[in-house]
Amino acid sequence: MLPLSIESHFLDALPVDPSDDPRPRQVWRACASRVSPHSAAAPRLLAYSPSCAALLGLESHTSTAAFLDTFSGNQLHPDMQPYAMAYGGHQFGHWAGQLGDGRAIALGEVRGLDTQRYTLQLKGAGPTPYSRHADGFAVLRSSIREFLCSEAMHYLGVPSTRVLSLIATGNEVVRDQFYDGNPRPEPGAVVCRVSPSFLRFGHFELPASRQDPDTLRELVRYALQRDYPDIDSEDLPQACAEMFRQVCERTATLMVHWMRVGFVHGVMNTDNLSLIGETIDYGPYGWLEETDREWTPNTTDSGGRYSFGRQSQVALWNLSRLAGALLPIIGNEAPLYEALEHYEQRYSAQYQSMMADKLGLSTPDEAFAEQTWLLMEAQRADMTLFFRTLSAPLAQITPAALAATCYGEPQQEAFESWWQQYRLLADGDAGRSERMRHTNPSFVLKNYLVQQAIEEAEQGEMGRFAALHEAMRHPYDEPASAWVLEKRPAWASTPGCSQLSCSS
Ligand code: AMP
Ligand code: MG
C-alpha cells in the first residue's frame, strides 16, 4: 500500500449526490457524485514526474505495483473515495449548463511535503454522471500532451496543475481525431493530476444558474476555507468579495505569464479557468512559433476567440461571469466592478513590466514593446528564438542574428532600424543578459516536438518523450538536446502538428 494519508474533505464538507447511478444525467443540489474508476486491462507506467512524486513522498514507490494499481485506477488505496465534481460553464461565449468532471475522477486529498493539501485526480479513468455523450476516457496522445505541458509550465515558473504519472491502460479508445468521419481505435491512457484545488469558475456558475443559493453558499465557504484561508470569513459577503478580488489578481498574473512564454490555452471556457489561477485542462493548446497575436492552435475556434492576443480580455470576460455567479452571495455589485477594474490595471502594469524584462529595458516602454510585436509579426519571427537571441550580451547581438529567427525571407533593414532604436533604450548594465535569460526561455514545448514524441510513443518507443521531458525541466538553460532549439520545420505547419482540434 502507498504511504498516503488520505482525506476526503470535499465529500465531507459539501453536498454529495445521493444517487450512485453512473449514467449521464443532471445532478441537482450537489457538488459531487461518487464514482468508480474503470479498470485498465494492461497498465504500464510510461512516465512520472520525479519532483511531483517527491512532493507527495512517493519517490521510492513509483516502480511498485501499488503505484501502478492506484494511479491506473485498477485498485485504489483503501481510504480513497473516488468522486466526480459538478460544474457548469460558458463555452465559446454561450452558457452550456451542467458540464462537470466527465473524464476526471478525484481520489482524495493528501498533504505534500510542503504542508500544502493536494487533490489527486485521474484523467481518463472512465465515465461519470457528467460524461454527457462522451466515454470518459483519454487517448495516449492527449495524455502525453497534458503530461509534458504540465511539466513544461511548472519549470517555466507558470502556475499550473501538476502531473504525477502517465500510465498506458492497455484499453482501446475510439476517436475521430480530425472530425472527418474516420473514427479509429487508439491506445488509452490515464494521467494523475495534482493540484491544491480543481475548482473552476464554472463550479460557482452552476448553482447560481439554478437559483440554488444554498449549494452556492456552501461552495463559497469551502473555497474560502480551503483555497483562500488567509481571508477572514466571518462576514461571508465581504469575504467572498475579497476572494473574487484575489481571483482577479491571480488570473491577471497567469495571463501575463502566458504572454511571456507565448502560450495559447486554446479553450478558455469558464469551466477551464481555475479559481486559484493555475493553468488547467491541456487540450488543443499551443505555443507561438511565428509571431502572430491572432493565432490559435484550436482548429475548432474559427473566430479566433481564444487566440494568443485575446487571452487577457477573455479572462476578463470569464471573470465577469464568475462575478455574476457570486453576486447573490455578495449582494452588491460595487466590489465586483472594482475588482474587475483592478484586474485590468493589474494586468496592464504587470504586462508592461514583464515586457520590459523580456526586452531588457530598465523601465517599461509601451510604445517600443508594441513596435517590437509589430516587427516580429511582420517579419514572422519565432517568438521564443527572437527573445532568446536578444538575451545575449549586447556586444554579441547582430540584427542579422535576430533576422535569422524568422520563418521565410526577412527584411534585414527592418531589423537594422529596430536595432538602432533598441541600442538607445537597452539596459546597458551587466545584469541585463542574466535578467533576460530568466524571463526568456531558450525553448518551449512546440507542438511538433510533442507530436514527434507521440508518434514514437504510439509505436512503443519512449526515447524522444524522455528527452523532451528532461529538456523541459531546464527551459532557461542551454539544452543538451539541441534539437529542441530549432525553428518549426516546414513539414510541421499542418494541422495535427501546429494546430489541433478539441478531440486532442
Ligand atoms: P474540455 O473542453 O476538455 O475542458 O471539456 C469540456 C467538458 O466535456 C467537460 O465537462 C469534460 O469533462 C467533458 N469531456 C471532454 N472530453 C470527454 C470525454 N472523453 N469523456 C467524457 N467527458 C468529456
Ligand atoms: Mg475542461
Side-chain angles (χ1 to χ4, degrees):
M1 204 178 15
L2 295 175
L4 292 171
S5 169
I6 294 145
E7 291 177 274
S8 303
H9 207 251
F10 194 86
L11 294 179
D12 296 341
L14 291 165
V16 176
D17 176 11
S19 163
D20 56 8
D21 182 351
R23 287 172 299 182
R25 58 197 162 80
Q26 291 293 304
V27 175
W28 305 96
R29 296 186 164 277
C31 297
S33 304
R34 292 180 188 274
V35 294
S36 300
H38 192 273
S39 57
R44 221 157 28 93
L45 180 68
L46 298 181
Y48 68 93
S49 162
S51 62
C52 190
L55 176 68
L56 303 177
L58 293 176
E59 72 263 61
S60 58
H61 297 265
T62 52
S63 51
T64 62
F67 189 90
L68 189 63
D69 282 345
T70 307
F71 299 114
S72 62
N74 263 0
Q75 192 175 5
L76 299 186
H77 186 288
D79 297 339
M80 286 175 171
Q81 301 185 54
Y83 62 92
M85 294 183 291
Y87 55 79
H90 278 84
Q91 298 187 315
F92 292 90
H94 303 283
W95 175 242
Q98 176 185 299
L99 298 167
D101 287 334
R103 58 171 160 178
I105 296 180
L107 302 177
E109 300 122 47
V110 295
R111 248 194 225 274
L113 297 189
D114 59 355
T115 75
Q116 168 74 51
R117 282 203 191 89
Y118 291 95
T119 299
L120 307 177
Q121 190 189 60
L122 300 183
K123 186 164 176 182
T128 75
Y130 310 97
S131 296
R132 298 179 297 154
H133 310 293
D135 57 13
F137 296 111
V139 289
L140 178 63
R141 62 187 155 85
S142 53
S143 305
I144 287 179
R145 286 173 53 79
E146 171 121 23
F147 186 95
L148 284 178
C149 202
S150 307
E151 287 282 86
M153 291 299 242
H154 173 71
Y155 288 101
L156 281 165
V158 182
S160 171
T161 56
R162 297 217 54 198
V163 280
L164 173 63
S165 54
L166 167 66
I167 294 177
T169 57
N171 302 342
E172 281 190 340
V173 177
V174 176
R175 285 287 180 278
D176 185 355
Q177 183 180 358
F178 299 106
Y179 292 145
D180 60 0
N182 288 311
R184 63 176 178 106
E186 297 188 45
V190 173
V191 163
C192 178
R193 297 199 287 197
V194 177
S195 171
S197 176
F198 286 102
L199 288 184
R200 302 139 188 274
F201 292 5
H203 270 92
F204 301 87
E205 290 180 280
L206 183 62
S209 76
R210 291 169 164 176
Q211 279 93 44
D212 175 3
D214 297 341
T215 306
L216 180 62
R217 196 176 307 108
E218 291 194 61
L219 208 49
V220 168
R221 282 217 179 91
Y222 176 84
L224 279 163
Q225 191 196 345
R226 291 304 296 262
D227 300 335
Y228 290 89
D230 294 340
I231 301 176
D232 177 0
S233 52
E234 186 86 355
D235 177 336
L236 191 66
Q238 208 178 329
C240 185
E242 177 56 24
M243 177 174 83
F244 180 67
R245 186 180 168 87
Q246 293 188 22
V247 176
C248 288
E249 287 182 355
R250 291 194 196 193
T251 307
T253 301
L254 183 66
M255 293 305 114
V256 173
H257 274 297
W258 288 1
M259 298 307 282
R260 173 172 68 83
V261 299
F263 178 76
V264 195
H265 182 284
V267 201
M268 286 179 71
N269 294 331
T270 55
D271 52 300
N272 289 341
L273 264 89
S274 141
L275 189 74
I276 58 169
E278 285 186 340
T279 313
I280 187 171
D281 278 8
Y282 294 96
Y285 65 81
W287 303 76
L288 280 199
E289 292 160 354
E290 55 188 271
T291 309
D292 174 3
R293 285 173 291 180
E294 289 179 15
W295 182 73
T296 172
N298 184 353
T299 53
T300 324
D301 181 11
S302 50
R305 177 180 172 89
Y306 298 142
S307 60
F308 177 69
R310 288 204 199 159
Q311 297 187 114
S312 76
Q313 280 307 303
V314 167
L316 176 64
W317 190 89
N318 288 349
L319 284 162
S320 308
R321 304 286 78 69
L322 177 60
L326 298 178
L327 181 59
I329 304 291
I330 299 171
N332 171 11
E333 290 178 356
L336 294 167
Y337 280 120
E338 259 169 48
L340 292 170
E341 247 171 62
H342 179 58
Y343 167 86
E344 290 190 278
Q345 285 155 5
R346 215 29 205 233
Y347 175 80
S348 158
Q350 286 187 3
Y351 173 79
Q352 291 308 335
S353 125
M354 175 277 286
M355 285 306 295
D357 288 342
K358 277 188 92 62
L359 286 162
L361 307 180
S362 45
T363 48
D365 184 328
E366 196 171 345
F368 187 72
E370 178 59 22
Q371 206 181 317
T372 306
W373 282 112
L374 292 173
L375 171 84
M376 290 192 298
E377 287 184 323
Q379 301 300 320
R380 301 174 57 206
D382 184 291
M383 178 184 162
T384 306
L385 294 180
F386 178 89
F387 280 111
R388 189 69 181 188
T389 305
L390 193 65
S391 307
L394 278 175
Q396 293 173 20
I397 310 168
T398 60
L402 294 168
T405 67
C406 294
Y407 293 90
E409 220 22 77
Q411 291 169 296
Q412 301 291 339
E413 327 75 73
F415 284 92
E416 269 153 33
S417 70
W418 181 88
W419 179 244
Q420 298 307 328
Q421 284 189 63
Y422 180 71
R423 288 300 308 262
L424 300 175
L425 296 170
D427 205 349
D429 77 51
R432 170 191 168 276
S433 177
E434 182 70 8
R435 173 174 157 226
M436 291 173 78
R437 282 163 178 268
H438 284 104
T439 306
N440 297 319
S442 58
F443 58 92
V444 292
L445 190 64
K446 287 182 170 143
N447 269 345
Y448 82 90
L449 294 173
V450 195
Q451 187 56 28
Q452 288 175 319
I454 290 171
E455 282 168 19
E456 278 196 12
E458 287 178 343
Q459 304 305 316
E461 182 42 62
M462 295 301 285
R464 200 170 268 263
F465 173 97
L468 256 188
H469 188 197
E470 172 55 32
M472 290 303 144
R473 279 182 244 169
H474 314 282
Y476 299 101
D477 298 343
E478 302 310 323
S481 310
W483 46 272
V484 299
L485 289 174
E486 286 163 19
K487 271 190 255 178
R488 181 199 62 215
W491 59 261
S493 50
T494 52
C497 277
S498 77
Q499 290 189 298
L500 295 114
S501 71
C502 273
S503 88
S504 3

Short mmCIF file of all heavy atoms in Angstrom, two decimals, residues 30 40 73 84 107 113 146 164 230 262 270 305 308 380 390 464 475:
data_model
loop_
_atom_site.label_atom_id
_atom_site.label_comp_id
_atom_site.label_asym_id
_atom_site.label_seq_id
_atom_site.Cartn_x
_atom_site.Cartn_y
_atom_site.Cartn_z
N ALA A 30 -26.02 19.28 -5.58
CA ALA A 30 -24.86 18.51 -5.08
C ALA A 30 -23.61 19.00 -5.81
O ALA A 30 -23.69 19.52 -6.93
CB ALA A 30 -25.07 17.03 -5.34
N ALA A 40 -8.03 -0.87 -15.92
CA ALA A 40 -7.10 -0.85 -17.05
C ALA A 40 -6.68 -2.28 -17.35
O ALA A 40 -6.25 -3.00 -16.45
CB ALA A 40 -5.89 0.00 -16.69
N GLY A 73 -6.07 3.41 -11.65
CA GLY A 73 -7.46 3.27 -11.23
C GLY A 73 -7.86 1.83 -10.99
O GLY A 73 -9.01 1.52 -10.71
N ALA A 84 -16.57 12.47 -8.76
CA ALA A 84 -16.52 13.42 -9.88
C ALA A 84 -17.28 14.66 -9.44
O ALA A 84 -18.28 14.56 -8.74
CB ALA A 84 -17.17 12.81 -11.12
N LEU A 107 -9.47 11.32 -6.33
CA LEU A 107 -9.25 10.18 -5.44
C LEU A 107 -9.23 10.59 -3.98
O LEU A 107 -9.28 9.74 -3.10
CB LEU A 107 -7.91 9.51 -5.78
CG LEU A 107 -7.75 9.01 -7.21
CD1 LEU A 107 -6.35 8.45 -7.41
CD2 LEU A 107 -8.80 7.94 -7.53
N LEU A 113 4.87 17.45 1.03
CA LEU A 113 5.95 17.71 1.97
C LEU A 113 6.06 19.20 2.28
O LEU A 113 6.66 19.60 3.27
CB LEU A 113 7.28 17.19 1.43
CG LEU A 113 7.34 15.67 1.21
CD1 LEU A 113 8.77 15.24 0.90
CD2 LEU A 113 6.82 14.90 2.43
N GLU A 146 -0.90 16.49 -22.15
CA GLU A 146 -1.18 17.04 -20.82
C GLU A 146 0.04 16.87 -19.90
O GLU A 146 0.43 17.79 -19.18
CB GLU A 146 -2.42 16.36 -20.20
CG GLU A 146 -2.64 16.73 -18.74
CD GLU A 146 -3.99 17.38 -18.45
OE1 GLU A 146 -4.94 17.19 -19.23
OE2 GLU A 146 -4.08 18.09 -17.43
N LEU A 164 1.47 13.68 -11.77
CA LEU A 164 2.27 12.71 -11.05
C LEU A 164 2.72 11.60 -12.00
O LEU A 164 3.88 11.23 -12.04
CB LEU A 164 1.46 12.12 -9.89
CG LEU A 164 2.08 10.96 -9.13
CD1 LEU A 164 3.38 11.40 -8.45
CD2 LEU A 164 1.11 10.40 -8.10
N ASP A 230 -6.40 32.66 4.08
CA ASP A 230 -5.94 33.89 4.75
C ASP A 230 -7.04 34.95 4.83
O ASP A 230 -6.88 35.95 5.52
CB ASP A 230 -4.72 34.48 4.02
CG ASP A 230 -3.53 33.54 4.15
OD1 ASP A 230 -3.54 32.70 5.08
OD2 ASP A 230 -2.61 33.63 3.31
N GLY A 262 4.54 32.78 -24.51
CA GLY A 262 3.94 32.51 -25.82
C GLY A 262 2.96 31.35 -25.81
O GLY A 262 2.77 30.67 -26.82
N THR A 270 -15.29 29.06 -19.35
CA THR A 270 -15.24 29.35 -17.91
C THR A 270 -15.06 28.07 -17.08
O THR A 270 -14.66 28.15 -15.93
CB THR A 270 -16.51 30.07 -17.42
OG1 THR A 270 -17.66 29.29 -17.77
CG2 THR A 270 -16.63 31.45 -18.02
N ARG A 305 -11.60 33.39 -31.08
CA ARG A 305 -11.99 33.93 -29.78
C ARG A 305 -10.87 33.75 -28.74
O ARG A 305 -10.64 34.62 -27.93
CB ARG A 305 -13.27 33.20 -29.31
CG ARG A 305 -13.76 33.61 -27.93
CD ARG A 305 -15.02 32.84 -27.56
NE ARG A 305 -15.39 33.10 -26.17
CZ ARG A 305 -16.16 34.10 -25.76
NH1 ARG A 305 -16.67 34.94 -26.64
NH2 ARG A 305 -16.42 34.26 -24.49
N PHE A 308 -4.03 33.99 -29.08
CA PHE A 308 -2.98 34.43 -28.14
C PHE A 308 -3.23 35.84 -27.59
O PHE A 308 -3.28 36.04 -26.38
CB PHE A 308 -1.63 34.38 -28.87
CG PHE A 308 -0.47 34.87 -28.06
CD1 PHE A 308 -0.02 34.14 -26.97
CD2 PHE A 308 0.18 36.06 -28.39
CE1 PHE A 308 1.07 34.59 -26.21
CE2 PHE A 308 1.27 36.51 -27.65
CZ PHE A 308 1.71 35.77 -26.56
N ARG A 380 7.55 37.64 -39.30
CA ARG A 380 7.32 36.23 -38.94
C ARG A 380 8.47 35.66 -38.10
O ARG A 380 8.98 34.56 -38.36
CB ARG A 380 7.09 35.39 -40.19
CG ARG A 380 5.89 35.87 -41.02
CD ARG A 380 5.77 35.10 -42.31
NE ARG A 380 5.66 33.67 -42.08
CZ ARG A 380 6.02 32.74 -42.97
NH1 ARG A 380 6.51 33.11 -44.14
NH2 ARG A 380 5.87 31.46 -42.71
N LEU A 390 17.95 37.87 -28.35
CA LEU A 390 18.11 39.22 -27.80
C LEU A 390 18.65 39.20 -26.37
O LEU A 390 19.08 40.23 -25.85
CB LEU A 390 16.74 39.93 -27.84
CG LEU A 390 16.70 41.44 -27.60
CD1 LEU A 390 17.43 42.19 -28.71
CD2 LEU A 390 15.26 41.92 -27.49
N ARG A 464 12.22 9.74 -27.34
CA ARG A 464 12.06 11.17 -27.61
C ARG A 464 11.24 11.84 -26.51
O ARG A 464 11.52 12.96 -26.09
CB ARG A 464 11.40 11.38 -28.98
CG ARG A 464 11.63 12.75 -29.53
CD ARG A 464 11.19 12.82 -30.97
NE ARG A 464 12.27 12.52 -31.89
CZ ARG A 464 13.01 13.46 -32.49
NH1 ARG A 464 12.81 14.72 -32.23
NH2 ARG A 464 13.95 13.12 -33.32
N PRO A 475 14.22 24.95 -18.84
CA PRO A 475 13.92 25.75 -20.04
C PRO A 475 14.72 27.04 -20.16
O PRO A 475 14.73 27.64 -21.23
CB PRO A 475 12.43 26.06 -19.89
CG PRO A 475 12.16 25.98 -18.42
CD PRO A 475 13.09 24.93 -17.90
#
